[in-house]
C-alpha cells in the first residue's frame, strides 16, 4: 500500500527527513519494522520540521505494541 501512496505523490515525512535511518517502530521493545507512516502532499513537504520515532519517555514502552511517531509541521 505504501507504493500506491508514493506513486500518488504523497511523501513519507520520516523518510524525507531521515533517508538513512530505519524508522523501526514495531514491536516494542525491540522494533524491527516500520509500522506507522505519516504522509503529506507536495504542498506541505516544505512545512516538515521534525519526524521521529519516540522511544522516550519510559511510558511509551508499555503504552502500545508499537512506538509512536511524532510529526512536527510549521504551517505559518
Amino acid at each position: 500500500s505504501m507504493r500506491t501512496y508514493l506513486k500518488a505523490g504523497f511523501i513519507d515525512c520520516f523518510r524525507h527527513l531521515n533517508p538513512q535511518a530505519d524508522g523501526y517502530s514495531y514491536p516494542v521493545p525491540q522494533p524491527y519494522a516500520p509500522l506507522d507512516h505519516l504522509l503529506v502532499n507536495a504542498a506541505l513537504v516544505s512545512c516538515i520540521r521534525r519526524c521521529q520515532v519516540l522511544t522516550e519517555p519510559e511510558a511509551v514502552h508499555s503504552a502500545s505494541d508499537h512506538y509512536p511517531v511524532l510529526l512536527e509541521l510549521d504551517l505559518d
Side-chain angles (χ1 to χ4, degrees):
S1 63
M2 274 303 290
R3 272 187 243 144
T4 301
Y5 293 122
L6 297 175
K7 281 176 83 173
F10 287 98
I11 294 97
D12 181 324
C13 298
F14 183 87
R15 190 63 44 225
H16 177 75
L17 292 182
N18 309 284
Q20 302 302 319
D22 57 40
Y24 294 169
S25 61
Y26 176 82
V28 170
Q30 300 292 326
Y32 59 81
L35 180 64
D36 300 294
H37 299 273
L38 297 163
L39 308 172
V40 296
N41 61 23
L44 290 176
V45 73
S46 65
C47 298
I48 303 169
R49 294 295 169 256
R50 181 169 57 141
C51 191
Q52 66 187 82
V53 177
L54 299 179
T55 57
E56 295 180 356
E58 184 66 29
V60 300
H61 297 281
S62 59
S64 177
D65 63 344
H66 58 97
Y67 289 119
V69 180
L70 171 79
L71 173 61
E72 183 178 319
L73 300 171
D74 182 355
L75 299 175
D76 287 334

